[in-house]
Each structure stands twice: as C-alpha cells, then as structure tokens.
Amino acid sequence: MFTTYEEALEWIHGRLRLGIKPGLKRMEWMMARLGFPEENLKMVHIGGTNGKGSTVAFLRSILQEAGYTVGTFTSPYIEHFNERISINGKPISDEEILNLTNIILPLAEQLEETELGGPTEFEVITAMSFYYFAHHPKVDVVLYEVGLGGRFDSTNIIQPLVSIITNIGLDHTNILGDTYEEIAFEKAGIIKKATPVFTAVKHPGALKVMKDQANIMEAPLYHLGEDFIISDHHSMIKGEVFTLQTATETLKQLEISMIGQHQTENAALAICTAQYLNQAGLYKITERDIRKGLTHTYWPGRFEILSELPLVIIDGAHNDEGITTLVHELSSRFSDRTIHVVFAALKDKKYDKMIAQLDKVASQITFVNFDYPRAAKAEDFLKISQSANKTAVDDWKTYLSEEIQDLKGSDMLVITGSLYFISEVKPFLCCYLKNKTISL
C-alpha cells in the first residue's frame, strides 16, 4: 500500500515500462473484481485522431451550463496529472488519487500473475476513473475520451448513450495501420449496437468504413457536411463565429473562444450531441445552454495564447493533420509576423512531413530534446529540416527564456509538437512570463 501521493504517482508512471498493450481482457478482469462500476454510469464516448479533448471540453461546458455535474476522463494531461480524472473541470485531489491507486494496486499485482500480464499505465488510470465516477453520487454524466484507436482501447468496455468520432488522420500507424481506412476501422470500433454516432470524418475511404460499421451495428450515423452543416464562418481575434444547420433547426452566430476553423467542427459535434441528449429526453439542454457553454469553453494547449506581448503560443499539434491545421492558422492569421517555431515530438511519429510543413512558415525553427521515454532526438529533426535557419537544443528551458527576451515587436514564438512536451512547457512558461525570471 502507498502512503503518499508521490509514491502512488511513481508507481502509476512506472507502468509505462509495459508499453501499449491493446486489448480489453485486462480491463474486463479488473472490472469484474470491482463489481463492474462502469455499468452504473451514463457516458458519452469520444474517439478520433484530433479534436477529442476539445470536443469533450465543448460538451462538458454545455452540460454544465445546463446545470449538470459532468465527469471527464481525458489524456494526456497538460498541467497536472490529476486533471485526467475531473468533475466539472476540476481535477480530483491528490488524496483521491492515492486512495484509488491503493484500490487498484492489489488487482494489478494479482493480474500480473495471470497469463494476461499486468495492466499498463493507461489501463490502471482508466480503471481508477471507472471506480471513482461510479462511487461519486453527484455525477450526472461522464465523458470518456479514447486513449488510442478505439476497438481495443481500455475505455471500450463501456456502453455509452452516444458516441462521437472526430476527424481521422494518419497517427499511431505502427499500431493502428498505414491507411486512413485501416485507422478508421480501429476508430469505428467504439460504435455500439443501435447507439447514435456523430462524426466529422472527412476522408472518403475512412467515412465509408464508418458508415459500413454503423450499418453493421444498426447505429444511426450523423455526418458533418451531410446531416449537419457549418456555414457563415469567420474568425475573430480570439475565437470563431459560425452558423450550424441541423435537420431540425439553424443556430446562427454561434461564438466560440477557442481559435481555429477546426474548432468549429469540434463544437458542432458537441452541439449535435447535446441536442440529441435533449431530444431523447436524457438531459434538458436549451439553446441558451449551448450558446453560453460554447463561449465559456477552454481547453489548454490547443492554439493557446500564453502572452500577447511578446506573442507566445503553444499548440499540441502532434501529428501531420494537427500541424496542417496549425500552419493554416499561422498563415491566415499571422502572415505579417516573423514566426519562431520550437518543436519536439515522439519517435514513433512520422515527423518528416510535419517538419516540412513547419519549414514553410517558420523564419526560424528550433528542435529540442525533452525528458520522456519515447521522445525523439532533436538532432534527428535537424537532419530532416530544409530550413535555412535551424538549430537543435538540449536545454529547452534556458533556450525558451532567452528566446522570449530577444523577441521583437513583430516576432512571435510558437511552441508545438508532442502533448507530453507541451505539458512540460506550459507550467514553465506560465511561471516565467508571470515573474519574468525563473530558477533553471
């Protein structure tokens, strides 16, 4: 048994050594011994490649505005580990993490002795979340974000009220497959029998896979661009405005405070899901709740402006599609700026295309190392980049503090790449920008 939060967290993170082990058997084994807590929850399941966290945030904010208590399970974290399990946006306490870990620990030790092997870090955290939410009397609904893929993801033991699948891209190809269709098949694994699905998948082949799987499962599928349509979109300085047309109504001049055209798509998925929950009589949600919920939505690390003078932005664009979106926003919003880019990624990513895109918008690009088991080396990025102004740095903290001091009025600093890297950068920069000095 653990006696401190630090001991519990060290044990959880220690499970990373087991890597990624797709499959549901270990989760089912643990749930059986915990009394199947997931069966007592009302849930929405959110999968896809990019936009899962933002979609969770939009839907949570709408449901909260309607007066409901909303649990969320998301990954990875940006500022604090505990935020992965939250209620109404507030991470659970260190004491609760400690208690949950001590509940899961004996199960993990027993499971280790079976042919299934011990649970991974993600499986441990997922099991903790199911137990926690099931024993929290005030939670009205829980939004579960898929960790990896869908079909064999640890969260896929649930029977949700509705499923959401955001856009799909070529990510985790070493596990999920090399084509859009193969990845779509894994993502479509969260589609449940007769359970409605809302999706923003664009790729024709991937969409066909989604529709085929929905037909097999007799699940109604609603597709962005066909069943609900975004129009009249324009960007504001700090957000977006758009109109959403559904089969039953048109919502004009919807405003979101998150930046990027792609965020209108994530918001549309959340809106349509909320409307379904209302129309099905599951929750009472008004248009006012939707509009206010959208404007109040915040999700860290997604084109987030940390400072306006100097202009510093962080964005967890960790795959090709994410970088494409980032480059589009930089080109359309900040074409008059001198853009300094700092980039780090994991070695299991196909980062050659990501770097090629960043080279096009960056006047200066810096590749950095960071402390994570799967992190790629900055020197490897340097060999790929075709930029005339590129460098590799080992100590990113010193580099960033000096770089910010040197920024001129027309300059902007964009830190992007792995969300694990962003989770280290954000608290450091927030402290630095607040105090203008920091102990290195």
Side-chain angles (χ1 to χ4, degrees), residues 165-177:
I165 300 176
T166 64
N167 198 17
I168 286 178
L170 297 177
D171 198 9
H172 298 291
T173 53
N174 58 320
I175 298 172
L176 302 179

Side-chain angles (χ1 to χ4, degrees), residues 180-208:
Y180 283 94
E181 290 79 5
E182 288 174 327
I183 293 174
F185 178 73
E186 296 300 327
K187 305 287 187 183
I190 71 170
I191 297 175
K192 300 298 193 301
K193 186 76 172 179
T195 302
V197 186
F198 293 90
T199 185
V201 171
K202 294 187 178 72
H203 187 275
L207 180 59
K208 183 179 185 304

